Amino acid sequence: MEPELDKITSVGQRLVQRLLHWRAVASNTPHVEGRTIAVASGKGGTGKSFFITNLAVALHQSGHRVAVVDCDYGLGNAHLLLGVNPKMTLHHLMSGVASVDAILERTQYGPDLVAGGSGISSMGELGPRHFELLAVAFGVLAKSHDVVLLDCAAGISPQSMMTLLAAESIILVTNPEIAALTDAYALIKCLARQPRVPEIQVVVNRVVELGLGQPTFERLAEVAQRFIGRSLHYIGEIPDNPAVSHRRLGQAPLLVSHPECNAAMGVRTVMLAIEHTMGPLRASGSKKEDGVERRILRLLREH
Amino acid sequence: MIRGPILPLTRAGLWNLVVEAPARIERGLRLVAEDLDFGTGDLGNVDGLLRDAAGNPVLVLVTDPSDSALIARISLVYAFWQRNHRSLSRAIPEAQMRNPGSFRILVLAAALAQGSVEMLERLAIAQLEIIEFERFQVGARERLVVRRQRSNRLPLSGQLEELDATIDAASRGLLSQVAEMLCRLDPRIRLEGDRFSRRVTSDAGELCESFYADGVVHAVIADHPTCALNNLDDVRGLVDRVARRHLAWLRSVKAAPETAREVKAEAVSPVGLPRRSGFEALSASLATATLSREEWNALGEVQPEEMPRSSG
């Protein structure tokens, strides 16, 4: 019997060794994740959705794997701008009836899209449990894309703030008008009161006169620095263009329909500025603790 | 201080400028021989034979207002080269002429009277180009303007000349791609160039120059070695480098008061409130997101009747 027992023991040992080896290999595998960028605006109608869809197309055209997540949980419209009629949205994900892979739509212009819950009022009542599901979904998207763009709802609600804080960097879209500036500042003021606020980059949209973006930003940055001690980063301006304001439903994004116009060039320049500020917009190895999933869970746990 | 020329450029002085740097006239020009006698006798010799970026011969005649034999000299040189270009290309092997029959005659002058220009136009020689050199001083330094007065082949549009017809389609495409991509980056970027090169400049100075020479398109970014552009990937790489350089300049111009890291290092909220997190803290943030009169004034420089509450 002894030889048999020895044999069994050695087989068991080898199995344990193999399992231990597998665990060691698994734990040594680097955590690869793309960059998560949230796009926000204090006020509605600043051209945030226009900006994010065209930024996504620009990134796709320059060889990045891009996913847009429409985090306007109540009134998402990114699917309209990207020419998608989604069968499933974030609502299905957070109801637990669909995985993130199932709700991910590939658009004809290149970027992938997770559509928001258009017209669903209950989406504005999201709680911590929903954000746990979102955390996992964002983590999955970040692993399979170079850039995940989170299209946050305008204004300041706990849901949109939570989404902003989950990102690695925040792009704030504003206009030169005073109403847009004050609301952008209010958003920055709210963010400044949170721990671990991502870097805030500012883009000035609908600039009627070339170079007007810079003084607009300077005014906002100066007030943010003076009153809340927060530094902002300017990443450029996008000129006002009739090709944008006269767009109709179903038209291709500006970078596809009018790739040579000044607004399209503005988006491309902003894309380069983002890369200049954040470094290469590529999926890269990082600590899992620094990933988007862990960031959201940490925010919820701290609560 | 900018001043006009103090002493007019003499013919010898003009020719010295060409010898020192032929590229002042056109990118890729190279001096082959000086003072050639093409049977013009007492009318004067051809001041120089140059080779352009495409390997075509370029004959240079320097003139001044007292040069009454210019028209005759041009006619004789033109006829002589037309008759003998094959033999001449063999006689001057160091010129490495690719197509000696496709030649140009450049007339260099410090200043030409309008009457002289009209007379040259009446010659109807397609290969004739007139180039004016003009000196001026900025501070204590002398600068030079090179102006293309007239080109029978292709008219100038601002400072941008159309690409030479001898450049092959692939190289022409690469040169155009570089220019197009760079101009898309920023509407303030300007494009200029001669028949063999495209220079991209901004307010920061020259960003990049791409040029054609002997069948290959090259590019040079200021202070960097020249690189060859063989395909669209090379062009994209170049544009990427130029874009980064341009953005770095833009950022250096714009004020960057402090880095985000310095702000993150602050343990306490700069507004003096204890930091909270999660939904509770987020909701609390909304309640306090009102703008003070000072903040409102600083943003809008107006005095509102009522304190507005930010939209949510």
Side-chain angles (χ1 to χ4, degrees):
Chain A
M1 290 294 286
E2 266 185 44
E4 279 296 306
L5 188 64
D6 282 346
K7 194 179 173 184
I8 291 166
T9 310
S10 66
V11 169
Q13 279 175 342
R14 261 184 278 155
L15 187 62
V16 168
Q17 276 175 356
R18 196 180 290 175
L19 279 169
L20 286 172
H21 176 70
W22 177 78
R23 272 184 68 90
V25 169
S27 62
N28 286 337
T29 307
H31 177 75
V32 176
E33 192 171 301
R35 318 293 295 268
T36 314
I37 303 169
V39 181
S41 66
K43 175 182 163 294
T46 56
K48 174 175 57 63
S49 294
F50 152 78
F51 171 72
I52 201 165
T53 47
N54 283 284
L55 177 65
V57 173
L59 283 163
H60 172 77
Q61 287 175 348
S62 54
H64 297 80
R65 296 171 299 161
V66 195
V68 176
V69 185
D70 192 348
C71 299
D72 196 337
Y73 303 112
L75 291 162
N77 61 2
H79 61 282
L80 299 174
L81 300 175
L82 284 167
V84 172
N85 186 14
K87 291 179 182 64
M88 283 194 274
T89 67
L90 274 179
H91 175 71
H92 295 91
L93 179 99
M94 286 187 278
S95 308
V97 297
S99 70
V100 67
D101 295 322
I103 62 170
L104 190 67
E105 298 265 358
R106 177 143 297 172
T107 69
Q108 57 183 307
Y109 309 112
D112 293 336
L113 173 74
V114 172
S118 182
I120 303 167
S121 58
S122 63
M123 294 292 276
E125 303 296 325
L126 302 176
R129 282 189 63 79
H130 296 111
F131 272 94
E132 282 172 13
L133 289 166
L134 271 182
V136 177
F138 287 173
V140 171
L141 288 173
K143 279 177 199 158
S144 56
H145 293 84
D146 292 317
V147 186
V148 178
L149 295 171
L150 308 178
D151 185 2
C152 300
I156 39 181
S157 65
Q159 289 80 14
S160 62
M161 294 288 281
M162 183 66 84
T163 315
L164 288 173
L165 294 171
E168 197 180 329
S169 182
I170 296 171
I171 297 175
L172 186 58
V173 182
T174 189
N175 296 154
E177 293 90 51
I178 182 67
L181 269 184
T182 48
D183 285 353
Y185 175 72
L187 182 62
I188 296 165
K189 194 172 177 180
C190 289
L191 282 168
R193 289 163 186 245
Q194 311 308 320
R196 291 185 291 276
V197 184
E199 189 177 48
I200 302 175
Q201 307 180 74
V202 179
V203 59
V204 183
N205 189 26
R206 291 190 181 157
V207 173
V208 288
E209 192 183 328
L210 195 68
L212 192 63
Q214 179 72 35
T216 304
F217 164 77
E218 278 168 6
R219 179 177 291 184
L220 184 64
E222 194 268 324
V223 177
Q225 185 66 49
R226 177 151 48 116
F227 292 98
I228 51 180
R230 181 81 213 176
S231 289
L232 308 176
H233 294 261
Y234 182 56
I235 50 169
E237 64 182 26
I238 300 172
D240 193 24
N241 193 304
V244 180
S245 45
H246 297 162
R247 297 187 75 69
R248 292 186 303 276
L249 202 64
Q251 260 190 299
L254 195 74
L255 259 85
V256 178
S257 63
H258 298 77
E260 309 298 329
C261 79
N262 55 0
M265 288 167 194
V267 173
R268 280 195 201 95
T269 311
V270 167
M271 180 190 74
L272 290 167
I274 295 166
E275 199 159 17
H276 186 82
T277 309
M278 294 182 65
L281 297 175
R282 298 280 178 194
S284 58
S286 62
K287 287 181 186 172
K288 197 170 181 182
E289 289 71 33
D290 298 332
V292 61
E293 183 181 342
R294 293 293 175 95
R295 272 200 300 274
I296 298 178
L297 295 176
R298 206 161 38 229
L299 281 165
L300 294 169
R301 209 169 41 241
E302 283 169 358
H303 171 59
Chain B
M1 190 179 113
I2 300 174
R3 285 190 297 179
I6 296 158
L7 292 170
L9 274 166
T10 60
R11 284 177 67 171
L14 264 174
W15 178 243
N16 281 339
L17 289 172
V18 177
V19 174
E20 278 170 19
R24 277 182 177 140
I25 302 172
E26 183 180 288
R27 181 89 203 196
L29 270 186
R30 184 160 60 83
L31 181 65
V32 176
E34 292 181 66
D35 200 21
L36 298 116
D37 187 352
F38 284 172
T40 43
D42 293 339
L43 296 174
N45 290 349
V46 173
D47 293 278
L49 170 66
L50 288 85
R51 177 188 187 278
D52 71 16
N56 300 324
V58 178
L59 300 162
V60 176
L61 300 173
V62 183
T63 187
D64 62 20
S66 65
D67 185 6
S68 56
L70 177 66
I71 302 293
R73 203 150 49 110
I74 291 171
S75 306
L76 285 171
V77 167
Y78 175 72
F80 184 83
W81 191 271
Q82 283 239 316
R83 279 198 310 273
N84 304 311
H85 59 82
R86 287 181 206 285
S87 317
L88 283 165
S89 67
R90 284 196 294 274
I92 317 170
E94 64 270 27
Q96 295 175 319
M97 292 174 209
R98 288 190 171 183
N99 186 8
S102 174
F103 68 102
R104 282 183 284 156
I105 299 173
L106 302 190
V107 174
L108 303 189
L112 273 178
Q114 189 56 37
S116 305
V117 175
E118 284 169 8
M119 281 174 72
L120 289 171
E121 279 174 353
R122 276 191 219 133
L123 283 172
I125 296 174
Q127 293 88 340
L128 187 67
E129 290 175 22
I130 304 164
I131 290 165
E132 282 190 325
F133 278 52
E134 211 169 309
R135 283 191 305 185
F136 63 97
Q137 287 191 334
V138 179
R141 291 187 65 187
E142 189 174 88
R143 304 291 178 91
L144 197 69
V145 177
V146 180
R147 199 170 51 242
R148 223 164 266 262
Q149 180 73 12
R150 166 184 167 268
S151 166
N152 269 329
R153 280 184 175 184
L154 296 161
L156 291 177
S157 169
Q159 290 181 296
L160 183 67
E161 196 177 357
E162 281 192 35
L163 292 170
D164 194 88
T166 58
I167 298 177
D168 60 276
S171 303
R172 186 181 288 269
L174 289 172
L175 284 167
S176 304
Q177 287 280 357
V178 172
E180 277 173 26
M181 286 191 194
L182 287 174
C183 285
R184 276 184 211 148
L185 291 176
D186 190 332
R188 287 163 287 192
I189 282 178
R190 296 179 293 274
L191 185 65
E192 45 192 70
D194 56 39
R195 61 179 60 211
F196 291 109
S197 70
R198 289 290 178 258
R199 230 160 63 87
V200 180
T201 59
S202 73
D203 293 342
E206 185 175 315
L207 286 171
C208 160
E209 182 173 14
S210 53
F211 59 93
Y212 174 86
D214 296 327
V216 182
V217 177
H218 301 270
V220 59
I221 302 174
D223 308 331
H224 284 68
T226 305
C227 61
L229 302 179
N230 299 312
N231 51 42
L232 206 53
D233 283 344
D234 292 343
V235 172
R236 288 198 189 104
L238 174 83
V239 171
D240 187 60
R241 289 200 298 279
V242 174
R244 284 166 201 277
R245 193 182 171 85
H246 183 55
L247 284 167
W249 174 77
L250 285 175
R251 292 183 72 82
S252 71
V253 171
K254 292 162 191 168
E258 62 181 301
T259 63
R261 282 188 192 85
E262 287 167 334
V263 176
K264 278 179 189 170
E266 291 175 42
V268 182
S269 164
V271 286
L273 293 173
R275 280 182 160 158
R276 287 182 287 178
S277 53
F279 274 92
E280 187 185 81
L282 293 174
S283 302
S285 303
L286 300 181
T288 57
T290 49
L291 271 63
S292 67
R293 180 178 290 275
E294 290 78 19
E295 287 171 316
W296 181 268
N297 286 346
L299 282 167
E301 294 173 353
V302 288
Q303 293 280 345
E305 290 300 314
E306 291 180 2
M307 285 295 177
R309 186 188 166 86
S310 60
S311 67

